[in-house]
Amino acid sequence: MPPYAILTLAILAEVIGTSAMKASQGFTRLGPSVVVVLGYCAAFYLLARVLDTIPVGIAYAIWAAGGTILVTLVAWIIYDQRPDGFAIIGMALIIAGVLVINLLSKTSTH
């Protein structure tokens, strides 16, 4: 499987785990708590797998940015936690930072 596809799966697993965290109510509900643990285990395993081919700084920047933005969207849809203008600006800056790292930085090359 291509490394960026694995990284995408890592992001999705992290988003699932993080989204279930609120539903776990401080790990007092078994079902959502299991989803949190499994989601994070899968996310870290998949993230570790891509580090042989994608530099760690690049992989982590994409993983963190993708997770942040998707968790914000999930929280808006599921928990009605609508991001305000500053949150949207912040997410745009995160995306800009990842783009700068990937497109302009020499870090993105091996």
Side-chain angles (χ1 to χ4, degrees), residues 6 12 14 33 44 65 77 79 82 91 95-96 98:
I6 296 170
L12 293 175
E14 187 265 336
S33 298
F44 287 122
I77 293 166
Y79 301 115
R82 184 171 192 248
M91 287 185 285
I95 292 168
V98 170

Side-chain angles (χ1 to χ4, degrees), residues 7 11 14 58-70 94 98:
L7 183 55
I11 293 166
E14 187 265 336
I58 302 300
Y60 190 76
I62 294 169
W63 183 70
T68 299
I69 291 163
L70 288 175
I94 291 169
V98 170

Side-chain angles (χ1 to χ4, degrees), residues 96-109:
V98 170
L99 289 173
V100 166
I101 291 169
N102 278 286
L103 300 175
L104 303 176
S105 173
K106 293 179 183 166
T107 304
S108 64
T109 59

Side-chain angles (χ1 to χ4, degrees), residues 19-54:
S19 299
M21 198 175 296
K22 180 169 176 59
S24 77
Q25 296 178 354
F27 290 99
T28 61
R29 296 182 59 219
L30 180 61
S33 298
V34 170
V35 172
V36 171
V37 171
L38 292 177
Y40 274 98
C41 285
F44 287 122
Y45 170 76
L46 293 165
L47 180 61
R49 291 227 7 236
V50 302
L51 297 181
D52 290 335
T53 53
I54 301 173

